[in-house]
Amino acid sequence: MKKLFEKLFTDKENKSFNLESSLPGKVAYPDIPKYIFPSYQDNLDTVKAVFNADLSSDIKIREFICGNKKAFIVFIESMIDSNRINTHILAPMMLVPADATEDMVEKSLVVVNQLMASDLFDDAFYSLSLGDCIIFVDGVKKAFICDVKSWERRSVQPPVSEAVIYGPHEGFTENFKTNGALIRKNVRSPDLISEMLKVGKVSKTPISLMYMKNIANEGLVKEVKRRIEMLETDYIFQLGQLEQFLEDKTFTLTPQFLTTERPDRAAECLIEGKVVILMHGSPFALVCPVTISEFFTTVEDKYVRFPFSNFMKVIRLIAILSSFLLPGLYIALINFHIEMIPSNLLFAIEASREAVPFPSLIELLLMELAFDIIREASLRVPSSIGSTLGIIGALIIGQAAVEASLVSPISIIIVAITGIGSFATPNYELNMSFRVLRYIYIIFGALWGFGGIAFCMFVHLAILSSSKSMGAPLFSSFSGFSMRHLFDYPIWKDEERHTTANPKQTKLQAKISRRWVKK
Amino acid sequence: MTLKSKEAVAVAINLICAKTFLMVPVYFKRLTESGSLITVLYVFTLAAVFLLIYLLSGKIKIPKFLYPIIAILMVLVCSINLFEYSTTVSALFFRTTPLFIIFLFFTLAMIIGAYSNIGKLNLFFVPVIYITVFLMLLFTFSDGNYYYLFPVLGKGFDAVFSDGFFMLSSLFEVIILFFIPDMLEDKKDVKKVTAYTLIFSFIIYLIITAGCLITVHTDLPENCFSPLFLILRQIKIGTYFQHPDTAFLIIYFLSAFLYLSGILYFASHILSKTWRKLSKKMLIIPFGLLILILGVNGENLMPATSYLNKALWIVPFIFPIFARRSFK
């Protein structure tokens, strides 16, 4: 038997494959020396070995003579501006008559605005992978890192998931420096600090930690930095991954960080004393700490007058509650508490369900499942097919299913309201958590009626009330009896900062901000 | 007041008022056939207890040997309440559901609530629950039928005081005010906490008791609804509020969950103070299971219940004086 298994599952062609060398932690390339060598040849060999220059076609090494010394420049072809290398680096260096000294290269030969000399291979290779070019000169124990980045990048476009009517239409891009600039454009304060950190032992993905020096709590900034710096992982590519590494509670459905793709929202959070994290390659910003009420608000709430924003908040709250509570309540009502339903409505529901062969629970679960499948499919298909998918979904799930007596019209109405309610949820991650919660509420509603719903609500809120966002309770919006976190006041009355982030300065504006009122 | 103080106020209000709203009004009415005098008695006695605690707050040092006794009493009270809530719910709403499942639901919620941030949970739920209760009562109470609230004396002066007085054992939960200082960040807040608890408990108690006394055992014919409800009917919205009292069930459950988890939390907390090696969280699950076992066998506890109902009032009433003396 053992031989048979070996015969069946052993790939003859890959017999030479060594499992151990592919295990995590095993380095496939030679150890990198720490310091730059004085010898030209040693440096060249190291660069070639580390970056597999023989195999990687995009790693370019150009050897040249600088004065009387040998030198070479290394860069990644697709990430640099070749014109700048030709005219501002190679031309002056190759045409220099005298010997190139370290001082000359740094101060007079290379004509780029950002140049750094480092004696560490680690710095040089990290910069190389970000799109800089590195110059090595024979006899010089330093590498010259020149900023010649020129990636293909997306221009600033309107945000996809946080569209507004009454506000700026610019969203973050995949370039974190552009994102940082967009935030700085909004804040315009010298107290805005942007600290550079790296995450991932191998990927060394650059991240920018932004906060207001005069407002943000020092303890909070230290805690964020501590958590980031203590991460021990090889690769982190996106903010979503970093968020999972940093969150307080892993096994909870509710997000503990606010994700935004709007620079104005990130700027607003900074003014509140929060910390914003930007990551290279991620068109979002991560904000912490947050409270639960911030997931229900949009940036537009600040831009419109307070009666409208409060009205929209109430509407949104109703939509959000219906997005996860309505199917469960419906099941509880028709299975356990039919006395609550008015007689006429009850007869209508029963008549519509008469031909349906499934119990109400199965019927509703099927509908919810179908709805989620359509939604998931519509996200993955090209936009041109998306509308077709919508029509197919509406026709098949709606009309055909009712005509075939697979589901009742009332179930479709419930699922439709639930779906519309979930689209009104401003935060995508919160929306996803409600999608999961909806099924739990349905099952408990079917098991135990209002008792099950109350049980779910209690447990849900018990978990939420013990959840924290970077040390700050998610439920701190409900601390005390103030409604400031939940509803907007007239903008001139908004005198205090939210206390969630425990800011250094609590005063947001003067007590009488409209001085023109008092003459 | 700090955030922790507000949480403490919410826990105290809930432990006192949840019990009131879940059990006491019906209980009193059954004994006295009216609510007027017993309500007055109840409120004023509550005021006396609170005042005593308020005056002595910060000066009280509870002898260590009393800790386990109080913890055991709390577990016992919690088990009896678990039994009563489960059987009531089963008899009224879930006749087909096995009783043990209902017990299990209550116990699970109780343990989860006690494990999580009990203060914040109460802070969030208490206003929601009591405002909803008030609104529900507004929709359902019969129009102008204040007989239950203001008859002369019901079964008579003697019945009210002899039976009603012992029912004050329901105020047993007041003793948690002695253990609230542990929850506070600033110990000086204890007086404020007591004062706020006193004021809010009174208001909530009065509204809930009055409402419950009017509505309980009322058949609710259509011409006996509150004017607000009738207006809603006139504009055809009210037709969709058929038997809104059923929705009351959610509030009943939430109050019961909060109450049970609060008691479990404090029972564990008090015992953990006795033996420092025991942590609060370590005790919650064993205590929860113990309460479940005792609650399932609630019928066997009934003889004890009658004694407890008559004797438990001694603890909150005499305790402050006793504690004061021990401190001296």
Side-chain angles (χ1 to χ4, degrees):
Chain A
M1 185 63 81
K2 195 182 167 188
K3 278 182 182 175
L4 182 71
F5 263 87
E6 277 175 4
K7 205 176 176 183
L8 280 171
F9 294 106
T10 310
D11 186 357
K12 281 177 189 171
E13 286 178 8
N14 286 339
K15 267 186 178 173
S16 59
F17 176 74
N18 183 4
L19 182 68
E20 270 194 25
S21 66
S22 69
L23 288 175
K26 291 272 174 184
V27 182
Y29 43 80
D31 290 335
I32 304 169
K34 195 173 178 187
Y35 295 104
I36 308 282
F37 299 112
S39 153
Y40 166 86
Q41 197 56 47
D42 289 345
N43 287 332
L44 186 63
D45 292 344
T46 308
V47 170
K48 280 183 176 175
V50 170
F51 278 91
N52 296 302
D54 303 338
L55 300 170
S56 300
S57 58
D58 57 345
I59 299 288
K60 300 293 176 192
I61 297 172
R62 170 78 162 86
E63 295 175 60
F64 59 94
I65 302 290
C66 177
N68 295 325
K69 286 183 177 177
K70 286 201 278 184
F72 72 91
I73 182 167
V74 56
F75 54 88
I76 300 170
E77 190 183 15
S78 49
M79 295 173 81
I80 49 96
D81 179 356
S82 55
N83 275 338
R84 284 173 76 187
I85 291 185
N86 292 343
T87 54
H88 297 97
I89 298 172
L90 285 177
M93 286 188 81
M94 288 168 84
L95 297 173
V96 66
D99 276 358
T101 60
E102 183 189 328
D103 209 38
M104 271 177 74
V105 175
E106 204 172 341
K107 288 182 180 163
S108 60
L109 280 181
V110 178
V111 195
V112 291
N113 57 9
Q114 285 185 49
L115 185 138
M116 190 183 85
S118 174
D119 54 357
L120 298 173
F121 268 113
D122 205 29
D123 286 348
F125 292 156
Y126 171 68
S127 302
L128 185 62
S129 63
L130 279 179
D132 291 336
C133 74
I134 319 293
I135 305 162
F136 292 90
V137 181
D138 193 22
V140 178
K141 281 166 99 181
K142 279 190 176 170
F144 300 98
I145 303 162
C146 312
D147 181 16
V148 287
K149 292 183 200 81
S150 176
W151 307 319
E152 285 301 322
R153 64 183 72 170
R154 192 163 60 95
S155 61
V156 175
Q157 284 168 346
V160 181
S161 61
E162 286 176 281
V164 295
I165 297 166
Y166 203 65
H169 294 274
E170 51 183 24
F172 287 132
T173 67
E174 284 74 13
N175 186 336
F176 83 118
K177 289 202 170 173
T178 309
N179 297 346
L182 286 171
I183 293 177
R184 201 170 272 281
K185 196 178 85 179
N186 276 280
V187 177
R188 292 187 293 274
S189 164
D191 289 315
L192 175 63
I193 306 291
S194 172
E195 276 190 52
M196 287 288 290
L197 299 168
K198 293 170 202 167
V199 286
K201 263 170 27 186
V202 178
S203 67
K204 288 183 181 152
T205 316
I207 59 170
S208 170
L209 193 73
M210 298 185 93
Y211 57 91
M212 297 295 291
K213 197 182 171 189
N214 57 337
I215 303 170
N217 188 300
E218 278 164 11
L220 170 72
V221 177
K222 267 186 196 165
E223 177 61 17
V224 178
K225 273 166 81 175
R226 187 184 71 85
R227 289 195 194 185
I228 293 171
E229 282 166 356
M230 291 192 81
L231 289 180
E232 277 277 318
T233 181
D234 282 359
Y235 289 95
I236 292 183
F237 295 121
Q238 285 296 316
L239 273 176
Q241 292 169 308
L242 183 68
E243 183 187 353
Q244 292 175 63
F245 275 111
L246 298 184
E247 63 191 2
D248 289 77
K249 258 192 177 182
T250 307
F251 298 102
T252 171
L253 290 172
T254 312
Q256 292 148 53
F257 286 82
L258 182 76
T259 319
T260 179
E261 56 173 330
R262 296 190 61 88
D264 49 341
R265 182 148 204 201
E268 191 197 314
C269 292
L270 285 168
I271 301 299
E272 289 285 343
K274 290 170 184 167
V275 172
V276 171
I277 304 168
L278 299 172
M279 182 184 267
H280 175 68
S282 190
F284 290 97
L286 213 59
V287 180
C288 65
V290 284
T291 62
I292 194 83
S293 59
E294 281 168 78
F295 292 114
F296 302 144
T297 53
T298 67
V299 71
E300 205 172 14
D301 291 343
K302 290 276 175 196
Y303 301 150
V304 294
R305 295 180 59 234
F306 79 98
F308 310 132
S309 66
N310 285 335
F311 173 71
M312 287 317 297
K313 275 185 182 179
V314 172
I315 296 288
R316 215 176 289 135
L317 204 64
I318 294 168
I320 288 166
L321 285 176
S322 65
S323 76
F324 68 95
L325 216 52
L326 190 66
L329 282 175
Y330 165 72
I331 284 283
L333 273 174
I334 62 164
N335 285 333
F336 287 88
H337 313 291
I338 48 169
E339 74 277 3
M340 262 193 94
I341 308 170
S343 314
N344 293 341
L345 184 62
L346 184 65
F347 292 142
I349 292 172
E350 285 304 316
S352 70
R353 293 207 66 252
E354 204 175 10
V356 180
F358 306 115
S360 52
L361 172 67
I362 303 294
E363 184 196 346
L364 204 65
L365 282 178
L366 278 175
M367 281 299 299
E368 287 289 353
L369 210 62
F371 181 75
D372 275 339
I373 291 169
I374 291 173
R375 182 149 66 170
E376 197 58 29
S378 62
L379 282 176
R380 312 280 163 239
V381 296
S383 55
S384 52
I385 311 171
S387 55
T388 322
L389 194 75
I391 295 163
I392 293 169
L395 281 176
I396 291 180
I397 304 299
Q399 204 175 340
V402 171
E403 280 177 11
S405 296
L406 284 173
V407 290
S408 61
I410 187 83
S411 304
I412 291 183
I413 294 168
I414 297 290
V415 174
I417 295 172
T418 309
I420 292 166
S422 72
F423 292 139
T425 313
N427 187 283
Y428 181 69
E429 280 185 281
L430 192 74
N431 184 7
M432 293 223 283
S433 80
F434 288 160
R435 276 164 72 177
V436 180
L437 276 171
R438 190 186 306 152
Y439 288 97
I440 300 171
Y441 274 93
I442 290 174
I443 290 164
F444 275 87
L447 270 178
W448 207 31
F450 280 171
I453 298 289
F455 176 79
C456 272
M457 277 167 84
F458 184 80
V459 173
H460 184 191
L461 287 164
I463 294 166
L464 276 181
S465 68
S466 57
S467 299
K468 287 182 175 179
S469 166
M470 202 50 78
L474 265 186
F475 258 28
S476 52
S477 326
F478 300 103
S479 61
F481 303 98
S482 165
M483 304 296 271
R484 273 195 74 239
H485 288 265
L486 305 175
F487 293 103
D488 289 326
Y489 288 1
I491 196 157
W492 53 268
K493 261 184 94 81
D494 220 2
E495 288 145 6
E496 301 277 316
R497 284 193 169 83
H498 290 197
T499 49
T500 316
N502 201 7
K504 282 185 199 166
Q505 293 177 18
T506 51
K507 210 166 182 60
L508 190 63
Q509 59 190 14
K511 193 162 176 67
I512 300 167
S513 53
R514 298 192 300 174
R515 290 203 169 173
W516 55 267
V517 177
K518 275 200 167 183
K519 284 185 180 175
Chain B
M1 278 212 298
T2 60
L3 176 62
K4 289 277 176 188
S5 307
K6 285 169 188 165
E7 287 176 16
V9 171
V11 175
I13 291 174
N14 184 57
L15 282 179
I16 295 154
C17 296
K19 185 84 169 284
T20 310
F21 145 61
L22 291 169
M23 201 179 77
V24 176
V26 186
Y27 219 34
F28 279 150
K29 207 183 124 190
R30 204 181 296 152
L31 285 166
T32 62
E33 282 188 349
S34 85
S36 57
L37 204 67
I38 199 72
T39 306
V40 174
L41 176 74
Y42 188 88
V43 169
F44 277 93
T45 328
L46 192 65
V49 175
F50 271 133
L51 204 63
L52 206 58
I53 295 170
Y54 178 77
L55 291 172
L56 297 174
S57 59
K59 298 173 188 169
I60 293 167
K61 196 177 178 185
I62 304 155
K64 279 275 156 96
F65 73 91
L66 281 174
Y67 277 48
I69 299 171
I70 294 164
I72 290 164
L73 275 176
M74 279 191 163
V75 168
L76 210 59
V77 169
C78 198
S79 313
I80 293 163
N81 286 324
L82 176 68
F83 173 75
E84 281 180 356
Y85 298 157
S86 304
T87 45
T88 310
V89 162
S90 171
L92 292 177
F93 297 102
F94 301 105
R95 292 188 191 93
T96 51
T97 313
L99 189 59
F100 187 71
I101 301 287
I102 297 172
F103 270 109
L104 219 56
F105 265 113
F106 272 113
T107 313
L108 262 177
M110 179 172 75
I111 291 173
I112 293 167
Y115 236 103
S116 66
N117 201 336
I118 189 78
K120 240 177 221 82
L121 203 58
N122 276 274
L123 196 63
F124 174 77
F125 265 125
V126 162
V128 174
I129 287 178
Y130 295 107
I131 290 168
T132 321
V133 168
F134 177 67
L135 290 175
M136 296 289 299
L137 294 170
L138 203 69
F139 279 114
T140 50
F141 75 68
S142 47
D143 182 28
N145 186 1
Y146 298 108
Y147 169 76
Y148 294 111
L149 204 64
F150 298 111
V152 189
L153 276 177
K155 279 184 179 172
F157 204 80
D158 298 343
V160 170
F161 279 93
S162 60
D163 296 336
F165 184 74
F166 291 112
M167 286 303 104
L168 294 172
S169 292
S170 309
L171 291 180
F172 169 70
E173 286 76 12
V174 173
I175 61 160
I176 62 117
L177 278 172
F178 292 107
F179 303 98
I180 287 271
D182 291 333
M183 275 182 82
L184 306 177
E185 274 169 359
D186 188 356
K187 299 278 185 274
K188 286 174 190 166
D189 275 351
V190 71
K191 278 202 173 187
K192 278 185 188 169
V193 170
T194 316
Y196 278 104
T197 311
L198 177 84
I199 295 161
F200 285 109
S201 298
F202 274 8
I203 297 167
I204 293 169
Y205 172 81
L206 281 172
I207 293 168
I208 303 296
T209 313
C212 284
L213 287 170
I214 296 167
T215 48
V216 168
H217 300 309
T218 315
D219 294 322
L220 293 178
E222 206 157 284
N223 58 351
C224 277
F225 284 108
S226 66
L228 187 61
F229 191 79
L230 287 173
I231 292 168
L232 289 173
R233 290 231 153 176
Q234 285 293 317
I235 55 172
K236 302 285 179 196
I237 295 172
T239 18
Y240 297 100
F241 287 99
Q242 190 156 317
H243 284 285
D245 42 315
T246 311
F248 203 71
L249 196 61
I250 293 184
I251 307 300
Y252 181 90
F253 273 113
L254 289 177
S255 299
F257 291 154
L258 273 181
Y259 172 81
L260 292 171
S261 50
I263 289 284
L264 174 62
Y265 174 86
F266 273 100
S268 316
H269 173 73
I270 292 165
L271 204 65
S272 69
K273 289 271 160 194
T274 320
W275 291 289
R276 287 186 187 275
K277 281 182 185 174
L278 289 174
S279 77
K280 198 163 37 193
K281 295 214 165 175
M282 249 166 71
L283 289 168
I284 285 174
I285 292 178
F287 266 20
L289 293 176
L290 182 68
I291 290 167
L292 174 67
I293 294 162
L294 288 172
V296 170
N297 299 303
E299 281 175 22
N300 300 330
L301 287 177
M302 279 302 130
T305 314
S306 59
Y307 289 116
L308 282 175
N309 279 343
K310 283 181 182 171
L312 268 182
W313 63 273
I314 297 168
V315 181
F317 282 61
I318 307 297
F319 200 56
I321 303 158
F322 179 73
R324 167 88 169 149
R325 280 181 183 165
S326 79
F327 180 64
K328 276 179 176 175

